Amino acid sequence: QKMSRLTLKILLMIFMTMDHIAFAFLSYTNPWHQVFRFFGRMVAPVMCYLLVEGYQYTSSKLKYLKRMLAYAVVAYVPYVLLEHPRIMLDWSHLFQADFNMLFTLSLCLIMLMVLENISNESIPIKLMVVSSFALLTLKCDWFIFAPCYVASFYLFKSNQKIKWVLVALITLGQVCYTIGTYYTISQDFWLSLKYGWFGLGAFIIMFIEYIYNHQESKTKFNRLFYIYYPLHLAIINLIQYIRLR
């Protein structure tokens, strides 16, 4: 039996938590770091997939955007402290860090609004729009890759073959970026593969159609993911702070 939207979101929250625990508390040389982050890599691509679906069915796109931006602001400090816990001891660098995934998705949501309004324009015009928003995400989590995922899911929703070929290429690019990040640390290609292979977890997005039934569960917990995102980061921040003291 395929998962509902709520079940899928709960699974994403579990994997996201595993990813952030590994990032915060496990050395990248620890095998469990790679295992936890392998499953965590599926979260962002699936969030992009759900964003496009939510955009198509939401009753108010503006309210959707305002809600996402509001939680992005709430999650700003917890996300920064996750990436740079020592800022807790020196708050002067707080606003020099990157923006969280909800900011990235907010920019993607604005991009969808623009693309919807230029639906009759040529492909080069649409590519310019996607490229512009990809550049705007350079200081955000999952920069460049998230707008490309969202654009692929939205622009080619009626052409499954092209859509999934593009998604596979974007995911391959993300894997190469992950391995390249570890290469800058180790300066050894084989070690970078050993530590960065978890990026392959993003390829789980290729199976989304087989595990998700596209049905919204009848529940009052539609905003559960938005609330959980800053909340679990804050809990991790607290543990990091205790360890730093």
Side-chain angles (χ1 to χ4, degrees):
Q1 186 176 359
K2 294 184 179 182
M3 291 182 283
S4 68
R5 189 179 180 88
L6 176 63
T7 305
L8 182 57
K9 284 183 177 180
I10 292 173
L11 186 66
L12 292 181
M13 287 189 287
I14 293 170
F15 288 161
M16 177 176 64
T17 304
M18 291 169 59
D19 184 70
H20 291 160
I21 287 173
F23 181 86
F25 305 119
L26 299 178
S27 167
Y28 68 86
T29 60
N30 187 323
W32 284 107
H33 178 100
Q34 282 82 38
V35 173
F36 276 34
R37 301 205 72 192
F38 172 83
F39 291 102
R41 291 298 87 186
M42 74 167 281
V43 177
V46 176
M47 286 171 69
C48 292
Y49 183 91
L50 294 178
L51 178 78
V52 174
E53 185 176 77
Y55 179 82
Q56 293 171 320
Y57 296 115
T58 185
S59 57
S60 175
K61 295 177 174 62
L62 191 57
K63 285 183 179 179
Y64 192 10
L65 176 60
K66 287 180 178 178
R67 180 170 65 247
M68 190 168 299
L69 275 172
Y71 283 101
V73 171
V74 171
Y76 178 79
V77 172
Y79 177 78
V80 170
L81 296 181
L82 170 74
E83 294 223 315
H84 309 284
R86 293 201 171 274
I87 289 179
M88 298 179 199
L89 306 177
D90 180 9
W91 291 85
S92 62
H93 301 290
L94 178 62
F95 297 105
Q96 298 176 16
D98 293 343
F99 294 92
N100 60 62
M101 187 63 186
L102 292 183
F103 277 112
T104 313
L105 293 176
S106 297
L107 284 170
C108 290
L109 196 53
I110 297 171
M111 179 184 73
L112 289 177
M113 294 177 181
V114 175
L115 289 173
E116 185 178 41
N117 286 318
I118 62 166
S119 57
N120 295 325
E121 299 293 337
S122 62
I123 291 294
I125 297 294
K126 294 175 182 176
L127 286 176
M128 287 178 60
V129 170
V130 175
S131 299
S132 298
F133 277 90
L135 290 175
L136 287 175
T137 65
L138 284 176
K139 283 285 289 179
C140 297
D141 192 19
W142 279 79
F143 68 98
I144 297 178
F145 300 108
C148 291
Y149 274 126
V150 169
S152 299
F153 290 134
Y154 180 75
L155 293 175
F156 299 99
K157 53 183 177 286
S158 60
N159 192 322
Q160 295 293 309
K161 186 175 182 179
I162 293 179
K163 179 177 74 176
W164 291 113
V165 167
L166 288 173
V167 169
L169 290 173
I170 296 164
T171 305
L172 181 61
Q174 183 273 328
V175 173
C176 291
Y177 172 79
T178 301
I179 293 172
T181 300
Y182 283 90
Y183 182 77
T184 61
I185 299 172
S186 65
Q187 296 298 309
D188 183 294
F189 177 71
W190 295 112
L191 280 178
S192 64
L193 286 179
K194 178 181 178 181
Y195 298 142
W197 66 267
F198 66 81
L200 292 169
F203 274 106
I204 296 174
I205 185 61
M206 304 298 294
F207 304 98
I208 187 68
E209 301 285 357
Y210 298 99
I211 64 176
Y212 174 46
N213 63 13
H214 301 273
Q215 293 178 7
E216 182 68 78
S217 299
K218 295 180 180 179
T219 175
K220 297 180 180 179
F221 300 113
N222 292 330
R223 299 186 185 183
L224 179 62
F225 187 89
Y226 295 108
I227 297 170
Y228 183 79
Y229 185 73
L231 180 62
H232 90 283
L233 291 176
I235 294 171
I236 291 175
N237 293 162
L238 179 60
I239 299 171
Q240 286 177 312
Y241 180 72
I242 293 171
R243 294 180 70 191
L244 284 172
R245 294 290 290 178

